[in-house]
Amino acid sequence: MNSKAISLKLVNISKLYEKVVALENINLEVYKGELLTILGPSGSGKSTLLKIIGGFEEPTSGEIYINGELMNGVPPYKRPTSMVFQDLALFPHLNVFDNIAYGLKIRKKSIDEIKKRVKSVAELLHIEDLLDRRVTQLSGGQAQRVALARSLILEPEILLLDEPLGPLDLKLRREMQLELRRIQKSLNATWVYVTHDHEEAMVMSDRIAILRSGRILEVGEIKQVYEKPKSKFVAEFFGETNFFECRIEHIENNIATSSYGEIIFQFDVSSDLKPGDKVILMIRPEKIKISMNPLSEKVNVARCILKEAVYKGPHVDMKMVLDDSKTIFVRSSELPYKEGELLYLKWRREDITVIRE
Ligand code: ADP
Ligand code: MG
């Protein structure tokens, strides 16, 4: 049981555009104070989902609740949400101050309150010196900060961000990820963050919901979706990995044995699996250890040839081949080996993840 307060609840949300099914039966809860990332490839329905939460699109069916209150049919400006759009959508004819102040002005706040709140949010985002600038004279990173300030100033119950760092170069994006995360934590705010970049999702999130073709495949904490994914799609979304399709031969004390060619796998299984069941075993490349000498162990080891090694600075990505020409990806911090060399691999029982589909 999770006793955290629920800020947003989506119940059976579906969205059809003519014949295109953009979203199908989405059920999701977002807790107060958490940053939940919706991660999925282009066209998977991320923007549609965010727009439905913000009220810019209505679902074909299903309900949206914020703090327990039904939001269907409520227009965007009456929802306790604010959205940072993918293209930022700043007002080009207004300067930075007026862009940030816009939402408070249409809410008829006093000029004193507006000034105070613009100052405070500008300080938070380090854009105090830009307030008089035209938004057409800003760099990509600055424009991104202004768009964020314009939404944050409304102090929304839930902030919705649609790939806000998309156009920035890699170095700036990495810096902004950390800064956004720091701001979200310092405000103890509830954010729903959309990205197609799994590394960004890992850096920023409390939990990640993986979206594929309009369906949520899995929702979980970062470590859970990376190390214990439930599907091949989710496993591969977080980077190249190894799969071995095999059948369980026997189980003793919740430890199963399977073979794949010469390899004998031993791994932990839950009690609902039985001998004869088909499973896919997943092992991340960085979990595999390399030895130049034959190993004494008989299980969870493999013998292979190093086919290709790519030096990437902090680590080396290697492709090894087994006798049946299957490739095994291995990531190591060093490269004392030669291509064509016979090597021995081993991994721990707990580094094997059992995937059902
Ligand atoms: P993402 O943000 O993950 O790239 P979108 O939510 O923009 O995905 O789109 C999901 C699917 O819905 C896509 O197939 C897209 O072509 C379709 N779609 C999105 N908006 C519309 C629209 N206004 N009319 C018709 N189809 C749309
Ligand atoms: Mg999108």
Side-chain angles (χ1 to χ4, degrees):
M1 276 299 288
N2 212 314
S3 59
K4 290 175 205 161
I6 293 165
S7 181
L8 170 71
K9 186 173 166 126
L10 303 177
V11 183
N12 283 327
I13 294 283
S14 293
K15 177 71 180 176
L16 274 83
Y17 292 111
E18 314 257 311
K19 282 186 191 135
V20 179
V21 182
L23 295 171
E24 202 174 347
N25 274 324
I26 301 287
N27 288 287
L28 183 66
E29 289 179 348
V30 180
Y31 305 122
K32 262 193 208 309
E34 88 166 324
L35 192 154
L36 180 126
T37 295
I38 296 165
L39 174 67
S42 173
S44 57
K46 304 181 298 295
S47 295
T48 304
L49 186 57
L50 217 54
K51 285 179 196 159
I52 284 175
I53 300 168
F56 300 95
E57 294 276 3
E58 279 298 314
T60 309
S61 58
E63 292 96 54
I64 307 127
Y65 296 93
I66 297 178
N67 288 337
E69 223 176 292
L70 187 66
M71 287 291 127
N72 294 58
V74 177
Y77 66 95
K78 286 193 179 160
R79 294 193 188 193
T81 52
S82 180
M83 182 146 162
V84 180
F85 288 90
Q86 199 160 2
D87 62 359
L88 304 186
L90 294 174
F91 306 118
H93 57 290
L94 299 179
N95 69 11
V96 170
F97 182 98
D98 290 330
N99 262 277
I100 299 173
Y102 184 82
L104 294 182
K105 278 188 183 160
I106 59 170
R107 282 166 180 76
K108 308 258 189 293
K109 300 290 178 194
S110 73
I111 195 71
D112 283 350
E113 180 177 352
I114 291 175
K115 277 187 183 159
K116 206 172 100 213
R117 281 169 68 173
V118 170
K119 183 166 178 279
S120 141
V121 76
E123 276 169 9
L124 185 68
L125 286 159
H126 308 293
I127 48 174
E128 308 96 298
D129 299 339
L130 301 176
L131 293 174
D132 296 329
R133 284 265 187 101
R134 298 193 67 84
V135 293
T136 47
Q137 295 165 344
L138 299 174
S139 70
Q142 289 166 338
Q144 197 282 332
R145 284 165 193 270
V146 174
L148 193 70
R150 194 176 58 168
S151 287
L152 277 179
I153 200 167
L154 302 173
E155 298 172 358
E157 165 73 27
I158 304 170
L159 183 64
L160 308 168
L161 302 104
D162 194 357
E163 312 216 28
L165 306 181
L168 307 184
D169 65 52
L170 189 63
K171 184 167 178 290
L172 189 55
R173 212 158 74 214
R174 296 274 176 263
E175 287 168 17
M176 283 302 293
Q177 287 165 3
L178 297 173
E179 187 173 348
L180 290 185
R181 179 62 162 153
R182 184 181 54 71
I183 290 171
Q184 180 267 335
K185 279 188 173 169
S186 75
L187 299 172
N188 199 20
T190 310
W191 287 13
V192 180
Y193 191 97
V194 160
T195 182
H196 65 272
D197 175 353
H198 70 275
E199 287 180 34
E200 186 159 303
M202 297 275 247
V203 170
M204 303 206 48
S205 320
D206 291 301
R207 290 188 306 148
I208 300 177
I210 296 105
L211 199 63
R212 181 200 192 183
S213 307
R215 286 169 165 271
I216 290 183
L217 294 184
E218 201 168 323
V219 187
E221 291 179 4
I222 309 166
K223 215 167 140 84
Q224 184 193 328
V225 293
Y226 182 74
E227 291 187 2
K228 302 282 169 205
K230 294 192 181 80
S231 65
K232 280 177 87 174
F233 180 86
V234 172
E236 283 182 312
F237 208 89
F238 290 96
E240 207 153 52
T241 191
N242 299 295
F243 298 113
F244 302 88
E245 294 191 21
C246 28
R247 234 174 242 288
I248 294 183
E249 281 152 24
H250 60 265
I251 300 180
E252 206 177 313
N253 298 328
N254 288 328
I255 297 175
T257 306
S258 288
S259 45
Y260 182 96
E262 273 190 356
I263 306 176
I264 303 166
F265 286 101
Q266 274 191 352
F267 50 97
D268 299 321
V269 283
S270 53
S271 51
D272 58 334
L273 282 169
K274 55 186 190 312
D277 284 348
K278 262 189 174 172
V279 284
I280 300 168
L281 305 180
M282 195 272 290
I283 310 174
R284 291 271 175 210
E286 69 275 15
K287 301 290 189 190
I288 299 174
K289 300 285 169 277
I290 307 170
S291 163
M292 291 159 101
N293 303 310
L295 300 161
S296 57
E297 291 95 330
K298 295 279 178 282
V299 301
N300 292 337
V301 292
R303 203 176 57 138
C304 51
I305 304 282
L306 174 59
K307 189 176 161 203
E308 186 185 293
V310 180
Y311 181 77
K312 293 192 171 164
H315 60 258
V316 186
D317 280 335
M318 283 171 261
K319 278 186 190 165
M320 310 273 184
V321 280
L322 291 175
D323 286 346
D324 72 344
S325 80
K326 181 184 172 64
T327 299
I328 301 185
F329 300 105
V330 183
R331 178 171 279 194
S332 146
S333 57
E334 48 195 31
L335 182 62
Y337 325 108
K338 287 188 210 64
E339 289 180 357
E341 192 169 0
L342 177 65
L343 294 167
Y344 302 86
L345 308 179
K346 69 172 186 178
W347 51 87
R348 298 178 310 170
R349 200 173 84 210
E350 54 269 40
D351 293 331
I352 301 175
T353 298
V354 181
I355 291 176
R356 307 292 182 88
E357 50 179 310

